[in-house]
Amino acid sequence: MSDKMPNTADRRLPAYLRLRDELAARIAAGEWDASEMLPSENALTRESGLSVGTVRKAVQQLVDEGLLERRQGAGTFLRKPAFDSSLFRFFALRDGEGPSTIPVSRLIARTRATAPEAVARILGTSDCVRIERVRLLQDIPWLSEDIWLPRARFDGIEAVPEMEIGPLLYPFYLGRYGQFIARAEDEVRFGKATEIAAERLNLPAAAPVALIERTAFALDGQALEWRLACGAADRFRYRSRIS
Amino acid sequence: MSDKMPNTADRRLPAYLRLRDELAARIAAGEWDASEMLPSENALTRESGLSVGTVRKAVQQLVDEGLLERRQGAGTFLRKPAFDSSLFRFFALRDGEGPSTIPVSRLIARTRATAPEAVARILGTSDCVRIERVRLLQDIPWLSEDIWLPRARFDGIEAVPEMEIGPLLYPFYLGRYGQFIARAEDEVRFGKATEIAAERLNLPAAAPVALIERTAFALDGQALEWRLACGAADRFRYRSRIS
DNA sequence: GAGTGGTCTAGACCACTTC
DNA sequence: AAGTGGTCTAGACCACTCG
């Protein structure tokens, strides 16, 4: 083993995991963009002093984690996580299941705010920015969202012109603040719509809703965002595969 | 490559996939039981004429699919799918989250029956056996289940003494009928309790419930069981990790 | 101590994409 | 044709489990 391996978090981890960590760090640092190929396996072999098999294992790890995408004959590329819109996976779409109907976002409010204690504990601070928005599919409001971000990492986001923010927040976080969302955890339960949510979703007061609580994390495990999304219970539908 | 590889489904698949298929077939045939080690990597290398790396890849495939479990220093073993009781993962347990409180099953009825069309389509026949049961945790009814099985594969199951059927059906399917459940698909939605379900769960009429529809499959992809489970919505809670 | 899985090497050839 | 990832070999040594 060469000494070119980085020492970050070097607890005598296997070489392929250290290489994985190094690559993950470089990805997070924005070294490559979505269109360009990462170094080939050959190149990584030379750079790292490891053998092909080991390099492949490191890359495969990142593929399994959803960060990279391999295309035979072409190269290895970033795979931008598409799960911003994936809250919709909890909901049954209309019959056509449109071959990718585009979700539209309507921003309702962005304010500096003090996070409730439970949220502050997750984000590590109560000094936050709060974003409220509604997400629509074919002009019908499906989801009402209440999003909390630590102000230290997203300073000034409440003042960014709405035009600059696309329908998907995670790419925006990355492009504007260099914050990369690597994974997220969702928790679903059933409840009743708040007055505000009911109004935003055109539902009767206290209508039954599915509540999806999400915490999104950076590569290093730091929580970057917390949100509570809410949608009509009778449209809720979730599939899962077990084995 | 030796010619010892089986020809089943040999569409010029990579060697590791053919070995995977062969092992999966031998597992399904009941060649090993839960306590005994499968052939070591060394042994498989000799038997198959492949190299260690390739053998490892085949075994890893089955591990990823949840069929096998590797224990360093000890060997590779069957991993009996524990997901019969896993419907409970959808529900929040009481505070202690008991370090594995045992689910109890109460059989209510077993009858020959003609499956509704939707179920018949999934199972491939309308000639079925129907099992109704309630599942309890610490004497509290949590889930009401309505289970349909194709009679051809589970003949006489309606007459098996209740003693012989444990709290978990899948091990019973395997032991008594040689039917191995390899995976399952769950779909969750939100609805109102039927009269019968409400009564069985001690809920008010038409109480809000979570409905979990499950189809369970054999290794070859054949649907072996369909069930509809139902539990109080306010106890429903589901976590998922995305990346 | 014997046997198991876990990691790793230093190559080879093949299938595929791109130019 | 050149370069990419996909498969595969024939070993090696290490970490761990078990009797």
Side-chain angles (χ1 to χ4, degrees), chain A residues 35-199:
Chain A
S35 64
E36 64 189 323
M37 193 187 85
L38 268 67
S40 73
E41 298 182 345
N42 246 317
L44 288 174
T45 297
R46 283 193 308 276
E47 287 176 20
S48 65
L50 298 171
S51 75
V52 245
T54 306
V55 166
R56 279 187 65 79
K57 204 165 173 181
V59 173
Q60 187 57 48
Q61 186 82 16
L62 290 164
V63 170
D64 292 342
E65 291 170 30
L67 278 168
L68 297 181
E69 184 177 77
R70 328 175 74 143
R71 286 187 237 136
Q72 177 171 154
T76 302
F77 300 83
L78 294 191
R79 188 187 80 99
K80 66 164 155 251
F83 54 102
D84 185 279
S85 65
S86 67
L87 286 179
F88 284 105
R89 79 199 155 80
F90 286 125
F91 291 85
L93 297 185
R94 45 191 67 265
D95 276 342
E97 286 215 13
S100 85
T101 39
I102 301 158
V104 175
S105 292
R106 182 183 299 155
L107 289 178
I108 296 189
R110 282 176 288 161
T111 51
R112 288 196 200 178
T114 301
E117 200 197 335
V119 177
R121 204 173 322 116
I122 290 168
L123 295 177
T125 174
S126 61
D127 186 15
C128 287
V129 181
R130 178 184 190 183
I131 301 177
E132 292 166 84
R133 66 173 185 172
V134 171
R135 313 196 70 192
L136 308 91
L137 235 33
Q138 295 163 337
D139 290 330
I140 300 169
W142 281 70
L143 280 176
S144 163
E145 292 183 315
D146 191 2
I147 301 167
W148 296 79
L149 303 167
R151 213 161 64 78
R153 287 173 182 257
F154 295 93
D155 197 31
I157 198 173
E158 72 276 13
V160 173
E162 187 162 343
M163 288 295 297
E164 285 185 31
I165 309 179
L168 267 30
L169 286 178
Y170 295 169
F172 174 70
Y173 294 164
L174 181 60
R176 173 86 182 212
Y177 294 97
Q179 302 291 350
F180 176 73
I181 302 288
R183 63 181 185 87
E185 281 174 14
D186 287 345
E187 180 175 312
V188 181
R189 59 183 202 278
F190 289 118
K192 293 191 186 312
T194 61
E195 254 183 69
I196 293 173
E199 188 194 318

